[in-house]
Amino acid sequence: MMVTVNENYLLLKSSYIFSEINRRVEEFQTRNPDADIIRMGIGDVTRPLPGAVVEAFHRAVDEMAGEETFRGYGPEQGYPFLREAIAENDYASRGVDVTPDEIFISDGAKCDTGNIQEIFGLDNVVAVTDPVYPVYVESNVMAGRTGPMDESGRYEGLVYLPCTEENDFIPPLPEEKVDLIYLCYPNNPTGTALTHKQLAEWVDYARDAGSIILFDAAYEAYIQEDNIPHSIYEIEGAREVAVEFRSFSKNAGFTGTRCAFTVVPEELEVPDSEGKMHALKDLWNRRQTTKFNGVSYPVQRAAEAVYTPEGQREIRESIDYYMENAKIIRESLEKAGLRYYGGVNAPYIWIRTPEGMDSWQFFDRLLNDAEVVGTPGVGFGPSGEGYFRLTAFNSLKNTVRAMERLSELSF
Ligand code: PLP
């Protein structure tokens, strides 16, 4: 007998997109050593942690240094002080009913959106929007819910919901019955959002079909318009059909500090093969207590400080800063005569590449003629072909410089 690998992992296509971007940029830089390349493709924040967060972080680290105040393992689900602050500020203040014990603190929405599929049977049919944040797809490939990737770039067995210009980036309800549906709004990569009414159609679908929506709201803080829900639980009936993922990464700069949370409402139940119902909250709790030992105390205190008046003021300032970049990007694209979407309720701007130019040709054009790097849309799924992502996560200065260069190009 030999050790064998989990062959599902062998179905994964290598993340060609970012290595190919780097290869092309390096080659360009070698040919043009004086080139002043501006990277507009990065999905990471650039502004530092808010002062209120840093202060709370320091104070908690000092507590860890005192014999009386030291803390060892905390609750796997997170400290009550943070779960209560979230329930109050993110939900109750908006009239949404989520209790602290339905909130599970974690070290990232990436892990949670990747791990959640473990508590569902392997025979569930999974639907994803296309283009998509790759974690939803690849975690299901690893688990064995798909076949190999076909020539069109789709994994067999997954249901892809194309979101393109033609349908205003509103995911179409599936023709076949699906069980698990990943929705991410405001969306990465398209930067578009769903209105209450549009999201309500999905909640109704899930209720009728007996499906579960896995709702990733990592970019919730960027919502500017009133008709966009901040939480799926603003939609009537969503508590029975939806799990929600949130993160401190993009609202408070925690990408390197790591803190997020997942909401699993009490009412959410799924049957076993004999029809007996099981609360998902209990299954997720079981999963987390077995495989996860909680987020560090100082990080949870730092996250708690996001909800102080000072913390709120500071995070608003950072978000406004990024959204000003987004506005500059949108105005420059307009001037350059390019069609674009997003950038209003999200830090991402999704450009339609000009007629006859695919995602990679547009990448090369921007790199060669403007020394600006973005992300070819096709890297996020087959329906991303013909699109290109720019992000507002940059300094104002670099955004302005990059857009001045882009405005001078004609398409
Ligand atoms: N969900 C989406 C849609 C994202 O784009 C990202 C990060 O880029 C994440 C989740 C990851 O969040 P976290 O930093 O909390 O793991």
Side-chain angles (χ1 to χ4, degrees):
M1 279 292 278
M2 293 268 285
V3 175
T4 58
V5 293
N6 174 351
E7 297 208 358
N8 299 321
Y9 276 63
L10 309 181
L11 299 176
L12 293 166
K13 287 277 172 256
S14 61
S15 58
Y16 156 85
I17 183 86
F18 290 101
S19 53
E20 181 61 16
I21 290 173
N22 286 336
R23 193 190 67 73
R24 292 191 192 205
V25 172
E26 271 166 34
E27 195 208 32
F28 179 80
Q29 189 88 65
T30 310
R31 273 191 288 118
N32 305 277
D34 298 331
D36 174 22
I37 294 169
I38 303 175
R39 290 183 180 263
M40 307 277 293
I42 305 161
D44 196 356
V45 294
T46 51
R47 310 229 335 140
L49 290 174
V53 165
V54 174
E55 266 177 42
F57 209 172
H58 276 299
R59 272 198 308 275
V61 170
D62 285 342
E63 281 183 56
M64 296 299 268
E67 222 164 287
E68 304 284 304
T69 47
F70 166 79
R71 312 233 181 176
Y73 291 124
E76 290 96 338
Q77 304 83 353
Y79 282 103
F81 63 77
L82 181 55
R83 302 169 88 191
E84 282 159 18
I86 291 167
E88 174 56 34
N89 294 281
D90 280 322
Y91 295 106
S93 71
R94 291 187 179 277
V96 175
D97 174 30
V98 167
T99 59
D101 72 312
E102 296 171 323
I103 297 168
F104 294 81
I105 309 298
S106 78
D107 60 355
K110 185 178 193 173
C111 331
D112 287 354
T113 55
N115 290 332
I116 194 78
Q117 47 76 29
E118 275 185 32
I119 63 173
F120 297 100
L122 285 183
D123 50 358
N124 285 299
V125 177
V126 175
V128 294
T129 58
D130 173 24
V132 70
Y133 178 56
V135 174
Y136 318 146
V137 171
E138 296 189 348
S139 56
N140 278 289
V141 175
M142 290 170 170
R145 276 193 199 85
T146 74
M149 185 184 269
D150 67 19
E151 275 171 17
S152 73
R154 295 171 179 86
Y155 285 98
E156 281 169 21
L158 278 191
V159 175
Y160 289 79
L161 309 166
C163 296
T164 61
E165 225 176 20
E166 285 71 34
N167 59 17
D168 279 332
F169 302 93
I170 301 162
L173 295 175
E175 283 159 20
E176 59 277 78
K177 181 192 178 300
V178 300
D179 302 304
L180 300 173
I181 304 146
Y182 289 85
L183 295 179
C184 170
Y185 289 94
N187 188 257
N188 176 17
T190 66
T192 58
L194 290 186
T195 63
H196 284 92
K197 194 159 165 279
Q198 288 157 353
L199 188 56
E201 286 198 24
W202 275 97
V203 170
D204 290 345
Y205 170 86
R207 290 172 65 86
D208 290 346
S211 323
I212 301 273
I213 297 173
L214 303 167
F215 190 73
D216 186 346
Y219 297 95
E220 172 275 332
Y222 291 83
I223 293 171
Q224 313 282 321
E225 295 178 316
D226 290 341
N227 60 344
I228 309 297
H230 287 249
S231 162
I232 194 165
Y233 305 120
E234 290 177 32
I235 313 296
E236 206 184 318
R239 283 179 56 88
E240 282 134 60
V241 292
V243 173
E244 179 163 290
F245 305 91
R246 295 269 194 111
S247 172
F248 293 98
S249 283
K250 306 298 163 85
N251 66 343
F254 274 57
T255 51
T257 304
R258 313 303 304 145
C259 198
F261 61 92
T262 290
V263 178
V264 190
E266 201 79 51
E267 291 92 322
L268 209 47
E269 289 190 330
V270 176
D272 62 23
S273 55
E274 274 143 33
K276 185 167 174 263
M277 299 306 277
H278 298 269
L280 277 190
K281 179 170 160 280
D282 297 343
L283 296 177
W284 183 244
N285 189 51
R286 192 72 178 84
R287 192 255 168 223
Q288 290 297 80
T289 51
T290 299
K291 295 195 178 183
F292 182 61
N293 244 342
V295 175
S296 86
Y297 172 71
V299 168
Q300 292 191 61
R301 280 291 184 203
E304 183 192 22
V306 166
Y307 297 106
T308 59
E310 186 60 9
Q312 285 293 297
R313 193 186 57 71
E314 290 179 298
I315 69 166
R316 188 42 50 203
E317 222 172 74
S318 277
I319 290 161
D320 289 348
Y321 180 96
Y322 294 131
M323 291 314 280
E324 176 63 21
N325 287 347
K327 182 163 163 260
I328 292 166
I329 296 171
R330 286 192 281 113
E331 288 168 355
S332 309
L333 294 174
E334 197 99 38
K335 264 193 224 148
L338 289 163
R339 289 208 300 278
Y340 64 88
Y341 303 88
V344 176
N345 294 297
Y348 297 118
I349 294 94
W350 192 239
I351 303 172
R352 182 79 179 102
T353 59
E355 197 68 32
M357 217 186 253
D358 69 18
S359 291
W360 278 111
Q361 287 167 332
F362 189 74
F363 174 92
D364 287 335
R365 177 81 202 282
L366 280 199
L367 177 61
N368 285 299
D369 296 349
E371 298 178 358
V372 169
V373 176
T375 313
V378 68
F380 298 98
S383 297
E385 180 55 280
Y387 295 89
F388 192 81
R389 191 188 76 172
L390 291 181
T391 91
F393 294 131
N394 217 317
S395 65
L396 173 64
K397 185 164 155 244
N398 275 349
T399 304
V400 169
R401 287 170 60 232
M403 291 303 112
E404 277 167 2
R405 295 181 197 169
L406 193 137
S407 311
E408 282 166 21
L409 304 183
S410 59
F411 292 99

